[in-house]
Amino acid sequence: YSKWIIPVANSGGHENAFSRFLPTTIEYSDAHQRLYLGYQSGRVTFIDDLSGGEEKFYTSATSGVVKLTAVGNFLHLAAIADRYYRHQQAVFDVNGREVSKAQQSSTVGVTTWHEELNQLYVMPSDGTSYYFRRYEIHPTSGAITYLGNAQNVSGGIMHGPMSFKGSEMLLGSGHVFDTETFQQIGFIGGVDKMQWIGDETILFPEQEAGITLIRRDSGNRNVEQLVY
């Protein structure tokens, strides 16, 4: 979908009259074949092949949009709920119609969708936390259900990104969880961020200057190291 990202970046999101500011969040939906853009005004627009590169109206929240996440056949939207910057969560269908809403408000920052389990994992907006939540989103109705949160983990503060391999989930902070029990089953320390991509692990060690990327195979052996 880079054919849509590049024009949006170059135009500053000024495709038409209601897109006067840069989007606060951008998300691509494979199911909808659309690039969604959320704005501080509450507007949500989309671009697809039929729109000819122009933004089209999708829906409008009552307050600023902070996060959009593609969740199967639906789109999850988090918007500012009150002056304490908690976020209200709602789920919309392809036509921009709200089909469900989370009962409680919470801060939404890093989100990751697990397609096989139909579950959405949510970390607070500051990017670091001692807990994170998970929700189930029904694949046909879009109903969102709170399934609980993981907290009091060993290994210190958690942060994203989140990635999956089989029945396990790896956080960027090195915490490993079982996706069925939602219990911590391990901790990989020593680096600033990490992520699973297929059978490999990508690590980003913390350093004062530059960026180092380490790639490890399924046997945890270093196979490549790049320094920028």
Side-chain angles (χ1 to χ4, degrees):
Y1 55 90
S2 59
K3 63 181 177 181
W4 297 327
I5 286 283
I6 293 172
V8 168
N10 291 339
S11 69
H14 293 201
E15 292 295 331
N16 44 41
F18 55 73
S19 300
R20 293 190 175 92
F21 305 100
L22 287 171
T24 55
T25 176
I26 296 176
E27 177 75 344
Y28 179 74
S29 168
D30 277 322
H32 298 175
Q33 293 289 292
R34 292 174 176 176
L35 180 69
Y36 287 100
L37 302 91
Y39 291 87
Q40 190 173 8
S41 65
R43 290 268 186 175
V44 180
T45 63
F46 70 87
I47 299 172
D48 62 9
D49 284 332
L50 297 177
S51 71
E54 296 289 322
E55 290 182 56
K56 300 297 182 181
F57 176 76
Y58 175 68
T59 193
S60 184
T62 57
S63 56
V65 179
V66 296
K67 188 71 174 178
L68 297 173
T69 308
V71 289
N73 294 320
F74 302 92
L75 186 71
H76 176 271
L77 183 153
I80 296 173
D82 54 35
R83 62 188 179 92
Y84 297 106
Y85 291 95
R86 289 180 298 213
H87 302 142
Q88 184 65 55
Q89 303 176 62
V91 179
F92 293 80
D93 66 14
V94 68
N95 298 313
R97 180 178 64 92
E98 182 182 302
V99 296
S100 66
K101 181 178 293 184
Q103 295 301 311
Q104 72 288 335
S105 61
S106 61
T107 55
V108 176
V110 178
T111 59
T112 302
W113 173 244
H114 194 302
E115 186 173 2
E116 288 75 19
L117 296 177
N118 295 309
Q119 290 183 2
L120 177 68
Y121 296 83
V122 177
M123 299 192 79
S125 56
D126 60 5
T128 60
S129 178
Y130 288 102
Y131 73 95
F132 65 100
R133 294 182 168 91
R134 67 173 174 171
Y135 301 82
E136 180 181 61
I137 297 179
H138 194 277
T140 55
S141 71
I144 184 170
T145 304
Y146 175 57
L147 297 179
N149 63 303
Q151 59 184 353
N152 300 324
V153 301
S154 62
I157 294 177
M158 300 179 289
H159 63 75
M162 306 177 222
S163 53
F164 304 99
K165 184 164 59 178
S167 62
E168 298 180 358
M169 176 174 63
L170 174 68
L171 304 187
S173 51
H175 297 83
V176 183
F177 287 83
D178 185 304
T179 56
E180 295 182 4
T181 65
F182 209 35
Q183 298 296 313
Q184 183 181 358
I185 57 175
F187 177 74
I188 306 171
V191 298
D192 184 40
K193 290 184 180 179
M194 60 185 68
Q195 185 172 0
W196 282 330
I197 300 180
D199 290 330
E200 296 185 338
T201 304
I202 308 299
L203 304 98
F204 298 89
E206 186 174 7
Q207 55 194 63
E208 293 183 359
I211 299 173
T212 297
L213 182 151
I214 300 173
R215 186 164 62 92
R216 292 179 181 172
D217 61 17
S218 58
N220 207 33
R221 296 179 291 268
N222 287 6
V223 296
E224 185 178 18
Q225 180 167 322
L226 301 174
V227 180
Y228 300 93

